[in-house]
Amino acid sequence: MEQRTQISYTGIAASPGIAIGEVRLLDRRRISVQEYKISPEQIEEEISVFLEAVELARKQLELVQRELVRQSKTEHFYIIDTQLLILKDAMLIDSTSELIRTELINAAGALKKVLRRFAAVFERIEDEYLRERGSDIELVGERIIRNINGMELPQVGELERRSVIVAHDLSPADTCQFDVDLVVAFVTDLGGPTSHTAILARSMEIPAVVGLEKITRLVGDNTPVIVDGNSGVLICNPDAETLKKYLELKRHYEFYKKQLRSYCELPAVTADGKNISMQANIEFLPEADIALNNGAQGIGLLRTEFMYMARLQPPTEEEQFQSYKKAAELFAPYPVTIRTLDIGGDKFVSDISLEDESNPAMGLRSIRMSLCEKRLFRIQLRAILRASAYGNVRLMFPMISGLAEVRAAGEIITQVMQELENEGISFNRDLKVGIMVETPSAVFVADILAAEVDFFSIGTNDLIQYCLAVDRGNEHVAYLYEPFHPAILRALKHIADAAHAAEIDLCICGEMAAEPMFSIVLVALGYSQLSMSSQGISRVKKLIRQWDTGHSQELIDILMEQKTAADVLRVLKEKLRQFIPDADPTLDY
Ligand code: PEP
Ligand code: MG
């Protein structure tokens, strides 16, 4: 028998866990599209070929939705909904028909051109999560092109063994055809940590490695592989020693995961009885169920950007209201913290088009953009206020850099409240209004801000980027992105002190809260509400339940004396081992 050599590929760890199985290739490489000239007499025919392909795509997607319902995978509905919305979008449909007519090109060629324009817009988006949403348009486009060309969608066929699905990209429509008992991992050419494959895999609790670029061309069907979703590695043809090592790691990880599950139900109470509120960060409504299943006691951050991004026109007040209301009802009496739009003008494909900015991270974005585009801002505020009548809604403004912005936004809230009152529409007049503290200036004036808002929520993802002047998405400076940097520790302490002095709620919704070790530092600093992606909740809870706040002062005092991030980390580990001797040293740290 031919002995193949072991070879490893490193991609992006998208969903944790270890899987061992055989490759099943899902061939979804780009289909090549011929563009050619048509005669004026062929225009109407080409347009109708295009429109029929769109209609067929709609029917196919509705079928997928029915299949998702049958398989009880409704949590992925929103992705198909998004694709259905794209199919209806005038920009896609009209622009393609227009190109066929004016440039006399065939339907598939015209559509490809339009798709390229969309792709160019999405590629410019800074926010990685939102950038990934461009893949929805790409997937829809590919479906229409296949329909125009009368091509079947790729299939994996019957699975007989434990299979690792290797694909260019994956969508929920693809996952419908899998026998989930036999699919042990996903591996894709495309994608980052917030791609569809990553989101799907995490919610299905299947290990995944994405962003391997050309892996569909490098591995063949039936190749034995190990997928390490914890470190983002794919090992093909593993030798006996590697296999043994990974079997052990897999056993260890699965035991740990099982143990963690028992923590979902338990409250996050420290060993000495202090309650910590564990909340979830979510992007779309369907994630709310995952949050509840993981024991979230509310939503600490509802990012509303997705609603604006996955489509080409901003959402209506009614649409937003329905979505916020559902979240509020689902979590009542726990809080649902709705953050107003946190993106800039360059993120919109249509409606608002602002000039390109050379430094968008510091440009007209977030609350600045809302205060500039007041019409959109008012629509969102009306929707949030209306939803506040149905649960414990909190309103939050992102990227506040000073009190003037808080006051300007506050004035608009007052006007919108008055408007609703005049219209006889109910809302909670006492709803809590807070801000994200994520700019250095907000840290410096935390005392001034604390006097005029109901709560702070610290956005450490941005706070670290702005404080340390390190672009959070730039891999060349990623080594400088240090959550344990003494400057960050000092900032967190400064903010906490200001919030405590003003007696306002203190939350954190940056990903740092999901790091168990750091969560202890936050609790020790007096942060009583921690919000993070749902999957992180039980890990954090486990350690918090072992922490005695009697040690908090000593821990903070010694950490504050440290001079570098490495020192902070070393001392933190030492202290946690000292104060929580039975904490699992391999997995929690
Ligand atoms: C943050 O900046 O920490 C945060 C939670 O918000 P986002 O990641 O959406 O910028
Ligand atoms: Mg932020």
Side-chain angles (χ1 to χ4, degrees), residues 301 303 339 342 436 438 459-462 472 509-510:
L301 169 61
R303 291 183 167 101
R339 178 175 76 182
D342 188 23
M436 300 230 11
E438 52 185 347
T460 45
N461 305 344
D462 276 318
R472 67 194 251 193
C509 62

Side-chain angles (χ1 to χ4, degrees), residues 416-429:
V416 173
M417 281 183 169
Q418 191 57 52
E419 228 171 74
L420 291 174
E421 213 157 75
N422 295 347
E423 293 168 34
I425 297 174
S426 49
F427 64 92
N428 174 16
R429 192 164 259 293

Side-chain angles (χ1 to χ4, degrees), residues 335-339 381 384-385 388 391-397 413 417 427-435 452-456 503-507 529:
V336 170
T337 316
I338 306 176
R339 178 175 76 182
L381 289 179
I384 297 172
L385 283 169
S388 71
N392 181 3
V393 169
R394 301 193 298 192
L395 171 60
M396 180 160 79
F397 298 123
I413 298 178
M417 281 183 169
F427 64 92
N428 174 16
R429 192 164 259 293
D430 300 320
L431 109 156
K432 293 218 180 322
V433 180
I435 59 166
E452 298 200 22
V453 300
D454 296 319
F455 65 92
F456 280 167
E503 296 181 2
I504 62 167
D505 279 357
L506 182 59
C507 332
Q529 300 180 30

Side-chain angles (χ1 to χ4, degrees), residues 127 281 283 301 303 305 339 342 365 396 398 436-438 457-466 472 481 508-512 531:
D127 184 302
N281 294 351
E283 275 85 24
L301 169 61
R303 291 183 167 101
E305 294 77 61
R339 178 175 76 182
D342 188 23
R365 48 165 302 199
M396 180 160 79
M436 300 230 11
V437 179
E438 52 185 347
S457 187
I458 322 308
T460 45
N461 305 344
D462 276 318
L463 186 63
I464 297 169
Q465 122 159 316
Y466 292 125
R472 67 194 251 193
Y481 191 91
I508 179 149
C509 62
E511 276 310 309
M512 196 171 177
S531 190

